Amino acid sequence: KIKMGARNWEALLSDINEKENLISGCVKVKINKNFKGHFDDGCFFNFNGSSDSDAPVEKRVFVKYGTGGEKADGATMDVEAKGLFHLRLAAPKNLICIPRVWKAGQTRMGRGYIILDHLDFTNKSSDTGAKLGKGLAKIHKNSSSNYQYFGFEANGQCGAFPQLNNCSMREINWVDFWREYRLRPQLDGVKKSHPRQYKIIELGEQLCSRLEELFSMLVVEDITRSCLHGDLWNGNWGGVDSDNEPVAALFDPACYYGHSEADLGIAHMFGMPNAFFSAYFAELPKQPGFDKRKVLYELHHHLNHLNIFGSGYAHGALKLLQELLK
């Protein structure tokens, strides 16, 4: 079966003209003509597919389609596929499951899709939350040699907002990366879409000029690269069984390489289980000045949500900016 993750599955059927091939030379998808009704999480198809190197197999997979913004194309999904590969490379399999990517591409109408292993979720628990925390810390500790620069090999998206990733591979330190590729692009987005949020824009510019102060208790040149999920909130992980043992599963990344603390920004914004934080910091203890930088990394996601979803997130962003500039 394919579990179709698209909300507007009718658009997909129209896109492929109700033919059996989603993409020529990719995987064959036979539409279940008996499908009736609507499921909130998509629809089901019969599936016989293969990766580039494997013989065809019967496989239950999950298809994401039309996510990352209405205009998301195959390049968007290709970046997500690369991110899942990097996370899968670094993840300890006894703690974290990263779904395998079967294919990423776009339909003839230019809409991006990605085909992943289907995950049979179990209930989240303190055990799986702790495994997620410990496993993520191990990814952060052990992935620095997998990529040589801060950023990623291609620009991507965090939600529906563009995420610039230093794909030109400039040799810059972490503070400069954060200022140029995270903070300023978000502020530019606010200037363009919310020009009346002048206080956020003004304080944001002040923060750009004072960013080094937040790292004064660290040696900036010693900050190592970690493979980051990039969008680690409670909706982007779950519990699954692996070899009859419960583990955590991670998906929907906005992956890049950066300071490990940055990966906790949206987790602080929306909350994560206490067991997650306890296990994470037991494996990777807080560094001097963490509490101040925690606010900086949370601010990124408030600004990102402001740019995507609108002014309902302005108050939170302003409050964090004021706290950082005290």
Side-chain angles (χ1 to χ4, degrees):
K1 298 278 188 179
I2 276 188
K3 186 176 183 181
M4 200 65 200
R7 291 189 183 89
N8 56 344
W9 63 274
E10 292 156 331
L12 177 60
L13 301 191
S14 174
D15 198 354
I16 63 177
N17 295 318
E18 298 191 10
K19 294 180 180 179
E20 292 194 353
N21 288 338
L22 176 65
I23 282 284
S24 176
C26 172
V27 295
K28 291 185 177 180
V29 179
K30 184 177 180 181
I31 298 170
N32 183 349
K33 300 298 184 182
N34 296 321
F35 176 80
K36 295 180 179 179
H38 172 75
F39 298 90
D40 288 340
D41 58 353
C43 56
F44 293 87
F45 293 94
N46 295 322
F47 172 69
N48 184 334
S50 67
S51 67
D52 291 334
S53 59
D54 297 336
V57 296
E58 293 294 328
K59 182 77 175 176
R60 194 167 188 227
V61 298
F62 179 74
V63 178
K64 283 180 62 176
Y65 171 80
T67 60
E70 189 174 312
K71 298 181 180 179
D73 58 10
T76 302
M77 295 306 181
D78 186 59
V79 176
E80 180 170 334
K82 287 181 169 66
L84 287 166
F85 172 81
H86 279 259
L87 288 167
R88 189 176 170 90
L89 184 67
K93 293 179 175 56
N94 63 322
L95 298 172
I96 292 183
C97 167
I98 308 292
R100 174 187 174 182
V101 176
W102 284 71
K103 197 75 176 181
Q106 68 182 37
T107 63
R108 288 184 292 273
M109 296 296 290
R111 295 186 176 98
Y113 69 87
I114 185 170
I115 303 175
L116 310 166
D117 279 342
H118 183 272
L119 300 176
D120 291 308
F121 291 113
T122 60
N123 291 331
K124 294 177 182 177
S125 66
S126 58
D127 181 39
T128 53
K131 287 182 176 179
L132 176 64
K134 184 175 182 178
L136 183 70
K138 286 183 175 294
I139 291 173
H140 290 167
K141 286 170 63 176
N142 300 325
S143 57
S144 62
S145 63
N146 295 341
Y147 194 71
Q148 297 180 356
Y149 306 92
F150 289 118
F152 201 50
E153 58 192 273
N155 293 325
Q157 293 186 186
C158 187
F161 193 80
Q163 180 165 277
L164 303 181
N165 281 327
N166 183 29
C167 53
S168 61
M169 301 180 183
R170 293 171 56 204
E171 291 275 7
I172 56 176
N173 67 38
W174 172 248
V175 176
D176 289 338
F177 174 87
W178 192 260
R179 178 168 32 234
E180 294 182 36
Y181 293 96
R182 290 296 177 267
L183 186 52
R184 283 204 181 279
Q186 292 291 343
L187 291 173
D188 289 343
V190 175
K191 291 175 187 177
K192 180 178 179 180
S193 300
H194 306 280
R196 294 185 179 181
Q197 298 292 345
Y198 61 92
K199 196 64 177 176
I200 288 177
I201 296 167
E202 177 189 341
L203 295 182
E205 291 298 332
Q206 291 181 33
L207 180 61
C208 281
S209 65
R210 294 175 53 186
L211 198 57
E212 281 81 1
E213 296 175 20
L214 302 179
F215 294 85
S216 61
M217 300 184 75
L218 298 178
V219 178
V220 171
E221 288 71 20
D222 290 345
I223 296 176
T224 58
R225 301 174 306 277
S226 296
C227 183
L228 309 183
H229 177 280
D231 196 12
L232 185 63
W233 69 290
N234 219 18
N236 284 346
W237 78 281
V240 297
D241 284 333
S242 177
D243 297 327
N244 296 318
E245 288 291 328
V247 298
L250 269 178
F251 41 88
D252 288 0
C255 185
Y256 65 101
Y257 281 77
H259 189 197
S260 58
E261 295 174 359
D263 223 5
L264 305 180
I266 198 168
H268 291 299
M269 179 177 177
F270 287 129
M272 289 283 274
N274 289 334
F276 164 80
F277 287 112
S278 296
Y280 181 90
F281 292 121
E283 184 73 25
L284 193 59
K286 296 177 183 179
Q287 296 299 300
F290 170 86
D291 289 338
K292 199 77 170 179
R293 294 187 300 276
K294 175 182 79 171
V295 180
L296 172 69
Y297 295 135
E298 182 180 343
L299 169 67
H300 169 72
H301 293 281
H302 282 262
L303 292 172
N304 194 54
H305 277 67
L306 172 59
N307 280 314
I308 297 171
F309 301 111
S311 58
Y313 288 93
H315 176 75
L318 179 59
K319 182 179 178 181
L320 294 180
L321 278 164
Q322 290 169 335
E323 183 176 346
L324 286 166
L325 293 168
K326 284 179 181 176

